[in-house]
Amino acid sequence: MEDQQSSVPDRKLGQNGIVQPLLTDLYQITMAYAYWKSGKCDDLAVFDLYFRRNPFQGEFTIFAGLEECVKFVDKFAYSQSDLDYLRQILPTMEGEFFAYLATLTARDITIYAIEEGSVVFPRVPLIRVEGPLIVAQLLETTFLNLVNYASLMATNAARYRMAAGNLTLFEFGLRRAQGPDGGLSASKYAYIGGFDGTSNVLAGKLFNIPVKGTHGHAYITSFTSFSDLKTAELKHHDGNHSQNLLQLAKNWRTKLAPVFKVLVGEISDGELVAFISFAIAFPHQFIALIDTYDVVKSGLPNFCAVALALNDLGYRARGIRIDSGDLAYLSIVSREYFTKISEKYKLPWFKDLMIMASNDINEETILSLHDQDHKIDCFGIGTHLVTCQKQPALGCVYKLVELNSMARIKLSQDVSKVTIPGKKDVYRLYGESGHSLVDLLQKYDESPPEPGKKVLCRHPFEESKRAFVTPSKVERLYKIYWKNGEICKPIRNMQEIRERVKRSMRTLRGDIKRNLNPTPYKVSVSDKLYSFLHELWLQNAPIGELS
């Protein structure tokens, strides 16, 4: 249960060793070979990475994973063992192609992207990749892998943060996460999204996230009687003398039994011994899991007895964790007893002891607990957070929108899958209140919108949906992160990205962020891009024939 937050600055880490060019789908390699055979090595492509729908029935998403994409491009190269393996699984490919792959780097790629930690919306490209077709194509699967879960996880965490308000949130999901790498990613992006700490010790070391934890039920059930306690002595906080913590706690338990309206014989001795043992190990940071047997008749009296015994020796307990039962009711009862004891024994700090709740908590659970006037100070959240049970995938896609300066469009009977062609820039238009009004996609060669000047914003596909907007502020969303083989912008550390999430969330109106029936945020195209899109659509759509 040690608190751990290193004093060293946020670490700038190297790429995860698993993230390498072979972390891709086979068809990326086969397409690259076919491109090479077709003489398309020097074709210049533009790809957009975006998603089609916001997750969790919400109307916003947090963009994350850009840092990892930039690191991947920086180190993009095929090793000799990579090439040997590809020869083995693709024996019909010509040897010259493998020689070509051996020299391949991402030096000629340019990456434009929205700042990591920003609020983003469907159809707005998060990343624009420009450069040689083969290299840009080979980035697809890895980029999607790095952005999809990161953004989904950061969004989920941000939603929990909104639901919890100012309460403390700890990520406790490692044991339920999708494997070790999924567990580390969950801890990292939960912290970016607004969580205060993690139980994941390796994530704490790698990412400098505060590490939190208590103990499990196994620790409590490993003690059954007073004879199980091998050491009962604890030095006073001033270090001058020791006292028997067990005897102090037993005395306090006898005094407290009438307060809790229970008989001493009804309270578990094994639980008391377990609490004492743990308190001796961590007298400065004593937090107890109190629901092993019965919260009100055993866990609470035992905890309060040990907390008061620690107080006699100059220490202050930290609080309790409840992992089962009616969390709202048990937190209210716990707070009432803490307040009674605080007043009875003139200990002002006792009424403010921390109450932590865990037990399969999700976003709706927190909102429901608010309605029940709970007294919980912090939540430990695992399964629903790290597995994103409400929606397990974001669904980012990576689409070719331009080749050799000619726009490309993908058509579909499902309009949501029609791509917006060509190289584009994105601007966020703000109103006088400081809230963002609309994200506007334009052709890259259009003049940017200006504050105070009216601009026509159109729905990409519905002709009648259009509006004039006069922004008070215009923000260009794209920045260059990689060009000419170099990182062009400093890679933000996690704390900076975390702060970006907070700032970006404040730009959204409350009705867009609300949990139930949120208002959709508007993503529009300029009048010029609208006309261009529909002209290209008509040119490429087959003409039906009636007979």
Side-chain angles (χ1 to χ4, degrees):
M1 62 146 285
E2 291 281 0
D3 294 357
Q4 179 183 352
Q5 183 169 13
S6 173
S7 59
V8 301
D10 199 292
R11 295 164 174 78
K12 299 287 181 64
L13 298 174
Q15 185 82 40
N16 182 331
I18 296 173
V19 181
Q20 51 185 286
L22 290 195
L23 184 67
T24 191
D25 295 305
L26 181 63
Y27 82 80
Q28 306 291 4
I29 307 293
T30 56
M31 277 197 293
Y33 179 67
Y35 285 147
W36 178 80
K37 286 281 289 182
S38 301
K40 298 177 75 67
C41 292
D42 297 326
D43 286 12
L44 295 179
V46 178
F47 284 87
D48 285 346
L49 188 154
Y50 61 95
F51 59 94
R52 296 185 176 113
R53 295 183 185 87
N54 287 303
F56 312 119
Q57 291 85 56
E59 289 297 339
F60 72 88
T61 300
I62 302 296
F63 174 37
L66 175 62
E67 171 198 3
E68 297 300 319
C69 290
V70 174
K71 289 178 181 175
F72 172 61
V73 171
D74 187 33
K75 296 185 177 181
F76 184 89
Y78 290 95
S79 68
Q80 187 57 51
S81 65
D82 292 341
L83 299 174
D84 292 342
Y85 176 70
L86 290 176
R87 283 192 182 92
Q88 176 186 331
I89 63 171
L90 297 166
T92 62
M93 286 186 178
E94 297 176 27
E96 290 85 349
F97 176 67
F98 296 108
Y100 169 75
L101 287 185
T103 66
L104 209 58
T105 71
R107 177 175 179 79
D108 295 325
I109 290 289
T110 302
I111 294 177
Y112 296 81
I114 298 172
E115 187 173 350
E116 187 165 5
S118 298
V119 173
V120 290
F121 305 98
R123 292 199 169 277
V124 175
L126 311 178
I127 300 174
R128 188 175 85 210
V129 177
E130 300 179 16
L133 175 60
I134 291 181
V135 184
Q137 184 73 68
L138 288 168
L139 299 178
E140 176 182 2
T141 299
T142 315
F143 270 29
L144 290 172
N145 179 268
L146 294 173
V147 171
N148 262 309
Y149 181 67
S151 300
L152 188 72
M153 187 66 216
T155 306
N156 205 19
R159 293 181 64 87
Y160 275 94
R161 168 47 63 204
M162 283 197 307
N166 294 322
L167 300 180
T168 303
L169 292 174
F170 296 134
E171 177 268 311
F172 284 177
L174 178 58
R175 63 186 60 195
R176 304 285 169 77
Q178 282 91 340
D181 194 64
L184 285 171
S185 295
S187 300
K188 176 179 180 178
Y189 293 110
Y191 184 66
I192 282 173
F195 273 60
D196 299 289
T198 179
S199 65
N200 186 338
V201 180
L202 182 57
K205 176 187 176 184
L206 293 177
F207 308 129
N208 201 30
I209 303 173
V211 179
K212 307 287 182 178
T214 54
H215 57 76
H217 293 102
Y219 190 83
I220 305 298
T221 57
S222 70
F223 294 86
T224 57
S225 66
F226 295 136
S227 63
D228 289 335
L229 190 66
K230 306 306 180 186
T231 303
E233 296 290 314
L234 177 64
K235 273 193 174 183
H236 194 280
H237 183 266
D238 62 20
N240 291 333
H241 63 283
S242 298
Q243 281 186 259
N244 188 304
L245 189 64
L246 172 60
Q247 192 57 53
L248 288 173
K250 288 171 68 176
N251 293 340
W252 275 113
R253 191 168 70 165
T254 301
K255 293 178 186 178
L256 292 175
V259 176
F260 285 93
K261 299 177 183 178
V262 294
L263 299 174
V264 172
E266 296 179 274
I267 306 173
S268 169
D269 290 342
E271 185 179 55
L272 178 67
V273 172
F275 287 174
I276 290 167
S277 171
F278 207 70
I280 290 172
F282 300 103
H284 294 281
Q285 297 156 329
F286 175 56
I287 301 175
L289 177 60
I290 66 168
D291 71 328
T292 305
Y293 303 114
D294 187 291
V295 169
V296 179
K297 292 184 178 180
S298 183
L300 265 177
N302 275 331
F303 167 77
C304 291
V306 176
L308 290 167
L310 283 172
N311 182 69
D312 290 341
L313 296 178
Y315 302 97
R316 285 190 183 180
R318 296 284 295 278
I320 59 173
R321 177 163 74 95
I322 306 170
D323 191 51
S324 62
D326 187 331
L327 298 178
Y329 167 74
L330 293 174
S331 71
I332 291 168
V333 169
S334 298
R335 186 66 68 205
E336 287 174 351
Y337 279 115
F338 291 163
T339 301
K340 282 182 186 178
I341 293 169
S342 172
E343 293 170 352
K344 183 176 179 67
Y345 297 106
K346 303 294 187 293
L347 298 171
W349 59 271
F350 207 93
K351 68 179 186 300
D352 297 320
L353 282 165
M354 180 190 72
I355 300 174
M356 178 190 294
S358 46
N359 186 32
D360 219 22
I361 291 169
N362 60 27
E363 188 181 344
E364 285 70 28
T365 304
I366 296 174
L367 295 171
S368 175
L369 287 167
H370 288 334
D371 292 338
Q372 298 171 68
D373 196 28
H374 72 86
K375 303 301 176 186
I376 297 165
D377 298 297
C378 68
F379 292 98
I381 302 173
T383 304
H384 289 276
L385 173 68
V386 304
T387 64
C388 298
Q389 281 192 350
K390 197 171 179 182
Q391 180 172 327
L394 177 56
C396 284
V397 295
Y398 186 90
K399 297 298 182 183
L400 179 69
V401 295
E402 185 176 290
L403 188 67
N404 296 327
S405 301
M406 298 293 292
R408 294 291 188 267
I409 186 170
K410 176 197 174 293
L411 299 182
S412 171
Q413 291 182 333
D414 181 352
V415 174
S416 69
K417 293 190 173 184
V418 175
T419 60
I420 299 178
K423 186 160 64 172
K424 299 168 289 292
D425 281 327
V426 186
Y427 300 89
R428 186 158 292 171
L429 310 186
Y430 293 83
E432 292 182 357
S433 66
H435 292 125
S436 54
L437 298 173
V438 61
D439 280 11
L440 179 66
L441 280 67
Q442 294 189 168
K443 296 190 72 177
Y444 81 99
D445 56 357
E446 289 187 69
S447 299
E450 298 179 31
K453 292 189 177 182
K454 188 162 60 175
V455 58
L456 178 60
C457 298
R458 306 197 62 167
H459 188 284
F461 304 111
E462 298 185 33
E463 186 176 16
S464 63
K465 288 189 176 181
R466 51 187 179 170
F468 284 111
V469 176
T470 304
S472 60
K473 173 188 169 185
V474 175
E475 180 185 8
R476 187 187 185 112
L477 294 186
Y478 283 156
K479 298 176 175 65
I480 299 178
Y481 282 85
W482 173 267
K483 189 173 184 178
N484 298 327
E486 294 182 353
I487 297 174
C488 302
K489 282 185 66 66
I491 294 176
R492 301 291 186 186
N493 64 39
M494 285 178 54
Q495 190 61 46
E496 291 170 327
I497 299 171
R498 177 182 165 90
E499 290 302 315
R500 172 65 182 172
V501 172
K502 293 179 184 177
R503 292 196 309 272
S504 193
M505 288 289 289
R506 287 195 291 266
T507 67
L508 291 185
R509 296 194 317 267
D511 60 311
I512 295 171
K513 295 186 286 187
R514 68 190 174 205
N515 177 266
L516 185 63
N517 297 323
T519 302
Y521 181 85
K522 292 178 175 59
V523 173
S524 300
V525 297
S526 67
D527 191 45
K528 186 175 180 180
L529 180 55
Y530 176 88
S531 299
F532 179 70
L533 161 62
H534 286 265
E535 181 182 344
L536 199 62
W537 192 342
L538 290 174
Q539 289 175 6
N540 286 272
I543 300 174
E545 182 175 332
L546 298 178
S547 60

